[in-house]
Structures are given as C-alpha cells and as structure tokens.
mmCIF file of all heavy atoms in Angstrom:
data_model
loop_
_atom_site.group_PDB
_atom_site.id
_atom_site.type_symbol
_atom_site.label_atom_id
_atom_site.label_comp_id
_atom_site.label_asym_id
_atom_site.label_seq_id
_atom_site.Cartn_x
_atom_site.Cartn_y
_atom_site.Cartn_z
ATOM 1 N N MET S 1 121.609 62.305 156.529
ATOM 2 C CA MET S 1 122.933 62.465 157.092
ATOM 3 C C MET S 1 122.910 61.998 158.538
ATOM 4 O O MET S 1 121.920 62.165 159.246
ATOM 5 C CB MET S 1 123.332 63.937 156.977
ATOM 6 C CG MET S 1 123.652 64.651 158.266
ATOM 7 S SD MET S 1 123.834 66.422 158.062
ATOM 8 C CE MET S 1 122.626 66.969 159.249
ATOM 9 N N TYR S 2 124.025 61.383 158.949
ATOM 10 C CA TYR S 2 124.110 60.949 160.335
ATOM 11 C C TYR S 2 124.336 62.148 161.249
ATOM 12 O O TYR S 2 125.188 62.989 160.989
ATOM 13 C CB TYR S 2 125.244 59.939 160.525
ATOM 14 C CG TYR S 2 124.815 58.544 160.146
ATOM 15 C CD1 TYR S 2 125.140 58.014 158.902
ATOM 16 C CD2 TYR S 2 124.064 57.773 161.018
ATOM 17 C CE1 TYR S 2 124.727 56.752 158.532
ATOM 18 C CE2 TYR S 2 123.643 56.505 160.659
ATOM 19 C CZ TYR S 2 123.969 56.001 159.422
ATOM 20 O OH TYR S 2 123.552 54.748 159.065
ATOM 21 N N VAL S 3 123.548 62.205 162.298
ATOM 22 C CA VAL S 3 123.709 63.244 163.310
ATOM 23 C C VAL S 3 124.441 62.653 164.518
ATOM 24 O O VAL S 3 125.364 63.252 165.050
ATOM 25 C CB VAL S 3 122.329 63.797 163.739
ATOM 26 C CG1 VAL S 3 122.468 64.760 164.903
ATOM 27 C CG2 VAL S 3 121.647 64.464 162.549
ATOM 28 N N CYS S 4 124.016 61.477 164.922
ATOM 29 C CA CYS S 4 124.607 60.804 166.080
ATOM 30 C C CYS S 4 125.228 59.487 165.617
ATOM 31 O O CYS S 4 124.515 58.544 165.286
ATOM 32 C CB CYS S 4 123.519 60.554 167.121
ATOM 33 S SG CYS S 4 124.085 59.634 168.555
ATOM 34 N N LEU S 5 126.537 59.458 165.607
ATOM 35 C CA LEU S 5 127.230 58.254 165.157
ATOM 36 C C LEU S 5 127.155 57.150 166.211
ATOM 37 O O LEU S 5 127.080 55.976 165.869
ATOM 38 C CB LEU S 5 128.688 58.574 164.845
ATOM 39 C CG LEU S 5 128.904 59.484 163.632
ATOM 40 C CD1 LEU S 5 130.380 59.787 163.458
ATOM 41 C CD2 LEU S 5 128.329 58.864 162.376
ATOM 42 N N CYS S 6 127.153 57.521 167.467
ATOM 43 C CA CYS S 6 127.107 56.498 168.526
ATOM 44 C C CYS S 6 125.847 55.654 168.434
ATOM 45 O O CYS S 6 125.881 54.442 168.654
ATOM 46 C CB CYS S 6 127.177 57.148 169.902
ATOM 47 S SG CYS S 6 128.729 57.956 170.274
ATOM 48 N N LYS S 7 124.727 56.296 168.121
ATOM 49 C CA LYS S 7 123.438 55.608 168.099
ATOM 50 C C LYS S 7 122.911 55.381 166.686
ATOM 51 O O LYS S 7 121.836 54.817 166.505
ATOM 52 C CB LYS S 7 122.410 56.420 168.893
ATOM 53 C CG LYS S 7 122.679 56.474 170.381
ATOM 54 C CD LYS S 7 122.341 55.139 171.013
ATOM 55 C CE LYS S 7 122.441 55.196 172.516
ATOM 56 N NZ LYS S 7 121.986 53.971 173.149
ATOM 57 N N GLY S 8 123.636 55.859 165.681
ATOM 58 C CA GLY S 8 123.200 55.672 164.299
ATOM 59 C C GLY S 8 121.927 56.444 163.968
ATOM 60 O O GLY S 8 121.068 55.958 163.232
ATOM 61 N N ILE S 9 121.804 57.650 164.517
ATOM 62 C CA ILE S 9 120.598 58.460 164.321
ATOM 63 C C ILE S 9 120.844 59.496 163.236
ATOM 64 O O ILE S 9 121.845 60.213 163.258
ATOM 65 C CB ILE S 9 120.202 59.158 165.637
ATOM 66 C CG1 ILE S 9 119.886 58.096 166.704
ATOM 67 C CG2 ILE S 9 119.005 60.087 165.433
ATOM 68 C CD1 ILE S 9 119.803 58.647 168.102
ATOM 69 N N THR S 10 119.899 59.572 162.294
ATOM 70 C CA THR S 10 120.019 60.512 161.186
ATOM 71 C C THR S 10 119.093 61.709 161.389
ATOM 72 O O THR S 10 118.224 61.710 162.268
ATOM 73 C CB THR S 10 119.642 59.829 159.858
ATOM 74 O OG1 THR S 10 118.245 59.491 159.909
ATOM 75 C CG2 THR S 10 120.469 58.571 159.629
ATOM 76 N N ASP S 11 119.262 62.711 160.509
ATOM 77 C CA ASP S 11 118.352 63.862 160.548
ATOM 78 C C ASP S 11 116.915 63.421 160.276
ATOM 79 O O ASP S 11 115.974 63.960 160.843
ATOM 80 C CB ASP S 11 118.800 64.940 159.564
ATOM 81 C CG ASP S 11 118.958 64.427 158.138
ATOM 82 O OD1 ASP S 11 119.202 63.221 157.939
ATOM 83 O OD2 ASP S 11 118.837 65.243 157.203
ATOM 84 N N LYS S 12 116.739 62.396 159.458
ATOM 85 C CA LYS S 12 115.389 61.905 159.176
ATOM 86 C C LYS S 12 114.738 61.309 160.432
ATOM 87 O O LYS S 12 113.548 61.499 160.663
ATOM 88 C CB LYS S 12 115.417 60.875 158.049
ATOM 89 C CG LYS S 12 114.027 60.408 157.643
ATOM 90 C CD LYS S 12 114.047 59.513 156.443
ATOM 91 C CE LYS S 12 112.670 59.176 155.921
ATOM 92 N NZ LYS S 12 111.657 58.905 156.910
ATOM 93 N N HIS S 13 115.519 60.606 161.235
ATOM 94 C CA HIS S 13 114.967 60.076 162.486
ATOM 95 C C HIS S 13 114.438 61.212 163.357
ATOM 96 O O HIS S 13 113.380 61.081 163.993
ATOM 97 C CB HIS S 13 116.045 59.305 163.270
ATOM 98 C CG HIS S 13 116.431 57.981 162.671
ATOM 99 N ND1 HIS S 13 117.713 57.673 162.330
ATOM 100 C CD2 HIS S 13 115.680 56.913 162.363
ATOM 101 C CE1 HIS S 13 117.746 56.438 161.831
ATOM 102 N NE2 HIS S 13 116.511 55.965 161.837
ATOM 103 N N ILE S 14 115.171 62.317 163.400
ATOM 104 C CA ILE S 14 114.742 63.465 164.212
ATOM 105 C C ILE S 14 113.455 64.054 163.651
ATOM 106 O O ILE S 14 112.500 64.308 164.396
ATOM 107 C CB ILE S 14 115.871 64.517 164.276
ATOM 108 C CG1 ILE S 14 117.073 63.933 165.057
ATOM 109 C CG2 ILE S 14 115.371 65.809 164.936
ATOM 110 C CD1 ILE S 14 118.313 64.799 165.033
ATOM 111 N N ARG S 15 113.404 64.245 162.340
ATOM 112 C CA ARG S 15 112.186 64.802 161.716
ATOM 113 C C ARG S 15 111.004 63.858 161.921
ATOM 114 O O ARG S 15 109.885 64.313 162.204
ATOM 115 C CB ARG S 15 112.416 65.057 160.224
ATOM 116 C CG ARG S 15 113.420 66.176 159.952
ATOM 117 C CD ARG S 15 113.364 66.625 158.499
ATOM 118 N NE ARG S 15 113.660 65.569 157.563
ATOM 119 C CZ ARG S 15 114.871 65.235 157.132
ATOM 120 N NH1 ARG S 15 115.929 65.900 157.571
ATOM 121 N NH2 ARG S 15 115.047 64.258 156.270
ATOM 122 N N ASP S 16 111.241 62.570 161.782
ATOM 123 C CA ASP S 16 110.160 61.594 161.977
ATOM 124 C C ASP S 16 109.633 61.632 163.410
ATOM 125 O O ASP S 16 108.428 61.473 163.643
ATOM 126 C CB ASP S 16 110.636 60.185 161.631
ATOM 127 C CG ASP S 16 110.807 59.966 160.132
ATOM 128 O OD1 ASP S 16 110.349 60.831 159.345
ATOM 129 O OD2 ASP S 16 111.390 58.933 159.749
ATOM 130 N N ALA S 17 110.516 61.818 164.386
ATOM 131 C CA ALA S 17 110.080 61.899 165.782
ATOM 132 C C ALA S 17 109.194 63.119 165.995
ATOM 133 O O ALA S 17 108.177 63.055 166.695
ATOM 134 C CB ALA S 17 111.298 61.945 166.709
ATOM 135 N N VAL S 18 109.561 64.235 165.367
ATOM 136 C CA VAL S 18 108.725 65.450 165.458
ATOM 137 C C VAL S 18 107.375 65.188 164.802
ATOM 138 O O VAL S 18 106.315 65.487 165.384
ATOM 139 C CB VAL S 18 109.427 66.651 164.791
ATOM 140 C CG1 VAL S 18 108.484 67.865 164.721
ATOM 141 C CG2 VAL S 18 110.704 67.010 165.547
ATOM 142 N N ASP S 19 107.389 64.595 163.630
ATOM 143 C CA ASP S 19 106.145 64.304 162.908
ATOM 144 C C ASP S 19 105.248 63.356 163.706
ATOM 145 O O ASP S 19 104.017 63.412 163.606
ATOM 146 C CB ASP S 19 106.444 63.692 161.535
ATOM 147 C CG ASP S 19 107.063 64.685 160.573
ATOM 148 O OD1 ASP S 19 107.003 65.899 160.844
ATOM 149 O OD2 ASP S 19 107.624 64.244 159.553
ATOM 150 N N ALA S 20 105.877 62.476 164.486
ATOM 151 C CA ALA S 20 105.111 61.502 165.277
ATOM 152 C C ALA S 20 104.596 62.091 166.586
ATOM 153 O O ALA S 20 103.925 61.400 167.348
ATOM 154 C CB ALA S 20 105.975 60.273 165.555
ATOM 155 N N GLY S 21 104.929 63.363 166.856
ATOM 156 C CA GLY S 21 104.329 64.022 168.007
ATOM 157 C C GLY S 21 105.266 64.453 169.116
ATOM 158 O O GLY S 21 104.804 64.998 170.122
ATOM 159 N N ALA S 22 106.562 64.215 168.975
ATOM 160 C CA ALA S 22 107.490 64.687 170.005
ATOM 161 C C ALA S 22 107.390 66.212 170.089
ATOM 162 O O ALA S 22 107.622 66.909 169.105
ATOM 163 C CB ALA S 22 108.917 64.258 169.684
ATOM 164 N N GLY S 23 107.020 66.723 171.257
ATOM 165 C CA GLY S 23 106.685 68.140 171.377
ATOM 166 C C GLY S 23 107.818 69.048 171.787
ATOM 167 O O GLY S 23 107.622 70.250 171.924
ATOM 168 N N SER S 24 108.984 68.499 172.013
ATOM 169 C CA SER S 24 110.120 69.327 172.428
ATOM 170 C C SER S 24 111.411 68.617 172.032
ATOM 171 O O SER S 24 111.416 67.401 171.764
ATOM 172 C CB SER S 24 110.107 69.538 173.941
ATOM 173 O OG SER S 24 110.321 68.303 174.596
ATOM 174 N N PHE S 25 112.500 69.364 172.034
ATOM 175 C CA PHE S 25 113.790 68.752 171.734
ATOM 176 C C PHE S 25 114.137 67.717 172.803
ATOM 177 O O PHE S 25 114.663 66.647 172.509
ATOM 178 C CB PHE S 25 114.874 69.827 171.647
ATOM 179 C CG PHE S 25 116.232 69.268 171.333
ATOM 180 C CD1 PHE S 25 116.472 68.629 170.132
ATOM 181 C CD2 PHE S 25 117.261 69.367 172.250
ATOM 182 C CE1 PHE S 25 117.720 68.093 169.834
ATOM 183 C CE2 PHE S 25 118.524 68.844 171.961
ATOM 184 C CZ PHE S 25 118.730 68.206 170.754
ATOM 185 N N ARG S 26 113.790 68.039 174.031
ATOM 186 C CA ARG S 26 114.021 67.103 175.136
ATOM 187 C C ARG S 26 113.325 65.768 174.880
ATOM 188 O O ARG S 26 113.884 64.698 175.142
ATOM 189 C CB ARG S 26 113.497 67.754 176.420
ATOM 190 C CG ARG S 26 113.781 66.977 177.673
ATOM 191 C CD ARG S 26 113.044 67.643 178.847
ATOM 192 N NE ARG S 26 113.415 67.022 180.086
ATOM 193 C CZ ARG S 26 114.228 67.584 180.983
ATOM 194 N NH1 ARG S 26 114.718 68.769 180.794
ATOM 195 N NH2 ARG S 26 114.528 66.943 182.086
ATOM 196 N N GLU S 27 112.104 65.851 174.371
ATOM 197 C CA GLU S 27 111.331 64.641 174.077
ATOM 198 C C GLU S 27 111.976 63.846 172.939
ATOM 199 O O GLU S 27 112.048 62.610 172.986
ATOM 200 C CB GLU S 27 109.886 65.021 173.730
ATOM 201 C CG GLU S 27 108.971 63.851 173.460
ATOM 202 C CD GLU S 27 108.763 62.933 174.661
ATOM 203 O OE1 GLU S 27 109.047 63.330 175.793
ATOM 204 O OE2 GLU S 27 108.326 61.791 174.437
ATOM 205 N N VAL S 28 112.445 64.540 171.899
ATOM 206 C CA VAL S 28 113.140 63.866 170.797
ATOM 207 C C VAL S 28 114.379 63.153 171.325
ATOM 208 O O VAL S 28 114.626 61.983 171.005
ATOM 209 C CB VAL S 28 113.536 64.878 169.691
ATOM 210 C CG1 VAL S 28 114.442 64.226 168.661
ATOM 211 C CG2 VAL S 28 112.287 65.451 169.028
ATOM 212 N N ARG S 29 115.115 63.842 172.168
ATOM 213 C CA ARG S 29 116.328 63.233 172.741
ATOM 214 C C ARG S 29 115.990 61.989 173.539
ATOM 215 O O ARG S 29 116.661 60.970 173.440
ATOM 216 C CB ARG S 29 117.041 64.235 173.665
ATOM 217 C CG ARG S 29 117.897 65.222 172.933
ATOM 218 C CD ARG S 29 118.676 66.088 173.879
ATOM 219 N NE ARG S 29 119.613 65.299 174.677
ATOM 220 C CZ ARG S 29 120.637 65.814 175.346
ATOM 221 N NH1 ARG S 29 120.864 67.106 175.296
ATOM 222 N NH2 ARG S 29 121.434 65.051 176.032
ATOM 223 N N ARG S 30 114.921 62.075 174.324
ATOM 224 C CA ARG S 30 114.525 60.952 175.171
ATOM 225 C C ARG S 30 114.098 59.755 174.316
ATOM 226 O O ARG S 30 114.527 58.628 174.537
ATOM 227 C CB ARG S 30 113.378 61.365 176.103
ATOM 228 C CG ARG S 30 113.067 60.347 177.186
ATOM 229 C CD ARG S 30 111.777 60.669 177.913
ATOM 230 N NE ARG S 30 110.614 60.619 177.039
ATOM 231 C CZ ARG S 30 110.035 59.496 176.632
ATOM 232 N NH1 ARG S 30 110.517 58.338 177.010
ATOM 233 N NH2 ARG S 30 108.979 59.540 175.840
ATOM 234 N N GLN S 31 113.266 60.039 173.314
ATOM 235 C CA GLN S 31 112.741 58.953 172.483
ATOM 236 C C GLN S 31 113.838 58.236 171.706
ATOM 237 O O GLN S 31 113.823 57.018 171.566
ATOM 238 C CB GLN S 31 111.702 59.501 171.497
ATOM 239 C CG GLN S 31 110.374 59.842 172.131
ATOM 240 C CD GLN S 31 109.354 60.286 171.094
ATOM 241 O OE1 GLN S 31 109.544 60.159 169.889
ATOM 242 N NE2 GLN S 31 108.255 60.829 171.578
ATOM 243 N N LEU S 32 114.761 59.001 171.161
ATOM 244 C CA LEU S 32 115.785 58.421 170.284
ATOM 245 C C LEU S 32 117.059 58.033 171.036
ATOM 246 O O LEU S 32 117.954 57.434 170.453
ATOM 247 C CB LEU S 32 116.138 59.414 169.166
ATOM 248 C CG LEU S 32 114.989 59.824 168.237
ATOM 249 C CD1 LEU S 32 115.492 60.837 167.204
ATOM 250 C CD2 LEU S 32 114.394 58.617 167.527
ATOM 251 N N GLU S 33 117.122 58.385 172.326
ATOM 252 C CA GLU S 33 118.351 58.212 173.115
ATOM 253 C C GLU S 33 119.505 58.952 172.455
ATOM 254 O O GLU S 33 120.656 58.506 172.443
ATOM 255 C CB GLU S 33 118.681 56.735 173.315
ATOM 256 C CG GLU S 33 117.615 56.001 174.091
ATOM 257 C CD GLU S 33 117.978 54.549 174.365
ATOM 258 O OE1 GLU S 33 118.984 54.072 173.829
ATOM 259 O OE2 GLU S 33 117.248 53.909 175.133
ATOM 260 N N LEU S 34 119.157 60.096 171.913
ATOM 261 C CA LEU S 34 120.107 60.960 171.206
ATOM 262 C C LEU S 34 121.051 61.617 172.211
ATOM 263 O O LEU S 34 120.615 62.044 173.282
ATOM 264 C CB LEU S 34 119.270 62.023 170.479
ATOM 265 C CG LEU S 34 119.872 62.997 169.508
ATOM 266 C CD1 LEU S 34 120.571 62.297 168.362
ATOM 267 C CD2 LEU S 34 118.768 63.874 168.953
ATOM 268 N N ALA S 35 122.318 61.698 171.851
ATOM 269 C CA ALA S 35 123.337 62.331 172.691
ATOM 270 C C ALA S 35 123.472 61.652 174.054
ATOM 271 O O ALA S 35 123.834 62.289 175.032
ATOM 272 C CB ALA S 35 123.054 63.824 172.867
ATOM 273 N N SER S 36 123.182 60.363 174.098
ATOM 274 C CA SER S 36 123.217 59.668 175.391
ATOM 275 C C SER S 36 124.524 58.926 175.630
ATOM 276 O O SER S 36 124.693 58.302 176.673
ATOM 277 C CB SER S 36 122.044 58.696 175.481
ATOM 278 O OG SER S 36 122.135 57.713 174.466
ATOM 279 N N GLN S 37 125.423 58.967 174.653
ATOM 280 C CA GLN S 37 126.725 58.319 174.892
ATOM 281 C C GLN S 37 127.824 59.366 174.999
ATOM 282 O O GLN S 37 128.058 59.874 176.075
ATOM 283 C CB GLN S 37 127.007 57.294 173.803
ATOM 284 C CG GLN S 37 126.138 56.053 174.000
ATOM 285 C CD GLN S 37 126.565 54.896 173.128
ATOM 286 O OE1 GLN S 37 127.650 54.883 172.566
ATOM 287 N NE2 GLN S 37 125.709 53.900 173.008
ATOM 288 N N CYS S 38 128.464 59.734 173.889
ATOM 289 C CA CYS S 38 129.559 60.716 173.995
ATOM 290 C C CYS S 38 129.037 62.146 174.132
ATOM 291 O O CYS S 38 129.725 63.017 174.633
ATOM 292 C CB CYS S 38 130.504 60.607 172.809
ATOM 293 S SG CYS S 38 129.848 61.324 171.288
ATOM 294 N N GLY S 39 127.815 62.383 173.636
ATOM 295 C CA GLY S 39 127.200 63.704 173.757
ATOM 296 C C GLY S 39 127.628 64.719 172.713
ATOM 297 O O GLY S 39 127.109 65.840 172.677
ATOM 298 N N LYS S 40 128.553 64.351 171.831
ATOM 299 C CA LYS S 40 129.085 65.318 170.865
ATOM 300 C C LYS S 40 128.048 65.773 169.839
ATOM 301 O O LYS S 40 128.229 66.802 169.198
ATOM 302 C CB LYS S 40 130.286 64.724 170.132
ATOM 303 C CG LYS S 40 131.510 64.605 171.000
ATOM 304 C CD LYS S 40 132.667 64.010 170.212
ATOM 305 C CE LYS S 40 133.889 63.867 171.100
ATOM 306 N NZ LYS S 40 134.958 63.119 170.446
ATOM 307 N N CYS S 41 127.007 64.998 169.657
ATOM 308 C CA CYS S 41 126.016 65.306 168.635
ATOM 309 C C CYS S 41 124.938 66.280 169.116
ATOM 310 O O CYS S 41 124.082 66.691 168.337
ATOM 311 C CB CYS S 41 125.334 64.028 168.176
ATOM 312 S SG CYS S 41 124.569 63.139 169.555
ATOM 313 N N GLY S 42 124.963 66.658 170.383
ATOM 314 C CA GLY S 42 123.874 67.451 170.947
ATOM 315 C C GLY S 42 123.590 68.742 170.209
ATOM 316 O O GLY S 42 122.440 69.037 169.891
ATOM 317 N N SER S 43 124.626 69.528 169.907
ATOM 318 C CA SER S 43 124.366 70.827 169.281
ATOM 319 C C SER S 43 123.934 70.669 167.829
ATOM 320 O O SER S 43 123.059 71.404 167.362
ATOM 321 C CB SER S 43 125.582 71.754 169.394
ATOM 322 O OG SER S 43 126.675 71.214 168.713
ATOM 323 N N LEU S 44 124.507 69.708 167.114
ATOM 324 C CA LEU S 44 124.068 69.470 165.731
ATOM 325 C C LEU S 44 122.614 68.990 165.721
ATOM 326 O O LEU S 44 121.799 69.445 164.915
ATOM 327 C CB LEU S 44 124.971 68.441 165.041
ATOM 328 C CG LEU S 44 124.533 68.004 163.641
ATOM 329 C CD1 LEU S 44 124.413 69.206 162.704
ATOM 330 C CD2 LEU S 44 125.498 66.978 163.071
ATOM 331 N N ALA S 45 122.290 68.090 166.636
ATOM 332 C CA ALA S 45 120.917 67.589 166.719
ATOM 333 C C ALA S 45 119.953 68.730 166.999
ATOM 334 O O ALA S 45 118.869 68.817 166.411
ATOM 335 C CB ALA S 45 120.815 66.531 167.814
ATOM 336 N N ARG S 46 120.337 69.620 167.875
ATOM 337 C CA ARG S 46 119.493 70.780 168.200
ATOM 338 C C ARG S 46 119.292 71.641 166.947
ATOM 339 O O ARG S 46 118.187 72.138 166.697
ATOM 340 C CB ARG S 46 120.161 71.591 169.312
ATOM 341 C CG ARG S 46 119.407 72.827 169.718
ATOM 342 C CD ARG S 46 118.255 72.472 170.628
ATOM 343 N NE ARG S 46 117.165 73.394 170.465
ATOM 344 C CZ ARG S 46 116.226 73.579 171.397
ATOM 345 N NH1 ARG S 46 116.261 72.911 172.519
ATOM 346 N NH2 ARG S 46 115.247 74.412 171.185
ATOM 347 N N ASN S 47 120.351 71.827 166.170
ATOM 348 C CA ASN S 47 120.234 72.622 164.941
ATOM 349 C C ASN S 47 119.283 71.963 163.947
ATOM 350 O O ASN S 47 118.490 72.652 163.298
ATOM 351 C CB ASN S 47 121.608 72.804 164.276
ATOM 352 C CG ASN S 47 122.466 73.794 165.013
ATOM 353 O OD1 ASN S 47 121.965 74.581 165.820
ATOM 354 N ND2 ASN S 47 123.761 73.764 164.760
ATOM 355 N N VAL S 48 119.372 70.650 163.818
ATOM 356 C CA VAL S 48 118.469 69.926 162.912
ATOM 357 C C VAL S 48 117.028 70.103 163.378
ATOM 358 O O VAL S 48 116.127 70.389 162.590
ATOM 359 C CB VAL S 48 118.846 68.424 162.849
ATOM 360 C CG1 VAL S 48 117.767 67.611 162.141
ATOM 361 C CG2 VAL S 48 120.187 68.252 162.148
ATOM 362 N N TYR S 49 116.820 69.947 164.679
ATOM 363 C CA TYR S 49 115.479 70.103 165.254
ATOM 364 C C TYR S 49 114.942 71.519 165.011
ATOM 365 O O TYR S 49 113.825 71.697 164.519
ATOM 366 C CB TYR S 49 115.551 69.801 166.748
ATOM 367 C CG TYR S 49 114.270 70.028 167.491
ATOM 368 C CD1 TYR S 49 113.265 69.065 167.513
ATOM 369 C CD2 TYR S 49 114.063 71.214 168.205
ATOM 370 C CE1 TYR S 49 112.086 69.276 168.204
ATOM 371 C CE2 TYR S 49 112.885 71.427 168.907
ATOM 372 C CZ TYR S 49 111.905 70.457 168.896
ATOM 373 O OH TYR S 49 110.734 70.679 169.580
ATOM 374 N N ASP S 50 115.741 72.535 165.343
ATOM 375 C CA ASP S 50 115.303 73.930 165.181
ATOM 376 C C ASP S 50 115.027 74.258 163.716
ATOM 377 O O ASP S 50 114.045 74.943 163.402
ATOM 378 C CB ASP S 50 116.358 74.892 165.724
ATOM 379 C CG ASP S 50 116.417 74.882 167.256
ATOM 380 O OD1 ASP S 50 115.465 74.394 167.889
ATOM 381 O OD2 ASP S 50 117.424 75.366 167.789
ATOM 382 N N SER S 51 115.877 73.783 162.819
ATOM 383 C CA SER S 51 115.690 74.058 161.391
ATOM 384 C C SER S 51 114.404 73.439 160.880
ATOM 385 O O SER S 51 113.676 74.048 160.086
ATOM 386 C CB SER S 51 116.854 73.505 160.575
ATOM 387 O OG SER S 51 118.037 74.153 160.927
ATOM 388 N N TYR S 52 114.109 72.242 161.349
ATOM 389 C CA TYR S 52 112.879 71.575 160.891
ATOM 390 C C TYR S 52 111.653 72.335 161.386
ATOM 391 O O TYR S 52 110.719 72.590 160.617
ATOM 392 C CB TYR S 52 112.861 70.132 161.371
ATOM 393 C CG TYR S 52 111.755 69.313 160.746
ATOM 394 C CD1 TYR S 52 111.551 69.316 159.379
ATOM 395 C CD2 TYR S 52 110.913 68.538 161.527
ATOM 396 C CE1 TYR S 52 110.535 68.571 158.792
ATOM 397 C CE2 TYR S 52 109.898 67.788 160.948
ATOM 398 C CZ TYR S 52 109.713 67.805 159.588
ATOM 399 O OH TYR S 52 108.696 67.074 159.018
ATOM 400 N N LEU S 53 111.665 72.736 162.651
ATOM 401 C CA LEU S 53 110.515 73.475 163.189
ATOM 402 C C LEU S 53 110.351 74.818 162.493
ATOM 403 O O LEU S 53 109.226 75.286 162.286
ATOM 404 C CB LEU S 53 110.678 73.705 164.686
ATOM 405 C CG LEU S 53 110.490 72.495 165.592
ATOM 406 C CD1 LEU S 53 110.429 72.946 167.039
ATOM 407 C CD2 LEU S 53 109.234 71.716 165.253
ATOM 408 N N ALA S 54 111.453 75.445 162.103
ATOM 409 C CA ALA S 54 111.396 76.753 161.443
ATOM 410 C C ALA S 54 110.723 76.672 160.088
ATOM 411 O O ALA S 54 110.255 77.685 159.559
ATOM 412 C CB ALA S 54 112.808 77.322 161.298
ATOM 413 N N ASN S 55 110.649 75.489 159.526
ATOM 414 C CA ASN S 55 110.044 75.330 158.201
ATOM 415 C C ASN S 55 108.577 74.957 158.255
ATOM 416 O O ASN S 55 107.964 74.711 157.223
ATOM 417 C CB ASN S 55 110.811 74.277 157.403
ATOM 418 C CG ASN S 55 112.165 74.794 156.975
ATOM 419 O OD1 ASN S 55 112.304 75.956 156.619
ATOM 420 N ND2 ASN S 55 113.178 73.950 157.058
ATOM 421 N N PHE S 56 108.019 74.884 159.473
ATOM 422 C CA PHE S 56 106.578 74.597 159.570
ATOM 423 C C PHE S 56 105.773 75.828 159.188
ATOM 424 O O PHE S 56 106.166 76.936 159.420
ATOM 425 C CB PHE S 56 106.198 74.160 160.990
ATOM 426 C CG PHE S 56 106.294 72.673 161.154
ATOM 427 C CD1 PHE S 56 107.368 72.106 161.800
ATOM 428 C CD2 PHE S 56 105.309 71.838 160.635
ATOM 429 C CE1 PHE S 56 107.467 70.721 161.959
ATOM 430 C CE2 PHE S 56 105.387 70.465 160.782
ATOM 431 C CZ PHE S 56 106.472 69.911 161.441
HETATM 432 FE FE1 LIG I 101 125.635 61.066 169.602
HETATM 433 FE FE2 LIG I 101 127.962 60.176 170.471
HETATM 434 S S1 LIG I 101 127.510 61.013 168.536
HETATM 435 S S2 LIG I 101 126.108 60.314 171.586
#
C-alpha cells in the first residue's frame, strides 16, 4: 500500500529500510525522503514503522 503519494513510497519500502539497518524512524525518513514534501504521510508512516517493529 502507498504510504507517501508524493514520493511513491510503500509500506514495503519502509519495512525494507528497517531490514537494511535503519535504526530509527528518523533514519527511515531520511533514507527514503519520506514526508519531505507535503508531510501528510508522516503519521501513517510512523504507524507502519511502529507496527513492523512490534512484530519483531
Ligand atoms: Fe508523503 Fe506528501 S504524501 S510527503
């Protein structure tokens, strides 16, 4: 599912960034340039990130 329409970032991109070693939500945002345009995706992206970590 698309999380960030401005940048075309999906929930899988976020999970892949975590799997590749991004150690914080801030790092995921930096790597993917997530929420860097309109910013509307920030809270949904955070939820995707938190949900993925909760399943470790
Ligand atoms: Fe992510 Fe606009 S939807 S920056």
Side-chain angles (χ1 to χ4, degrees):
M1 121 190 124
Y2 277 99
V3 173
C4 176
L5 292 177
C6 294
K7 292 286 187 174
I9 298 166
T10 66
D11 55 334
K12 184 174 187 319
H13 288 123
I14 294 172
R15 292 194 300 272
D16 287 348
V18 173
D19 290 345
S24 66
F25 180 64
R26 186 187 187 106
E27 182 63 17
V28 171
R29 279 186 63 163
R30 190 191 63 77
Q31 286 184 11
L32 300 179
E33 298 183 352
L34 188 58
S36 62
Q37 286 192 15
C38 76
K40 288 180 181 171
C41 57
S43 63
L44 174 57
R46 179 79 211 202
N47 286 343
V48 169
Y49 175 83
D50 288 343
S51 296
Y52 190 49
L53 287 191
N55 288 322
F56 270 102

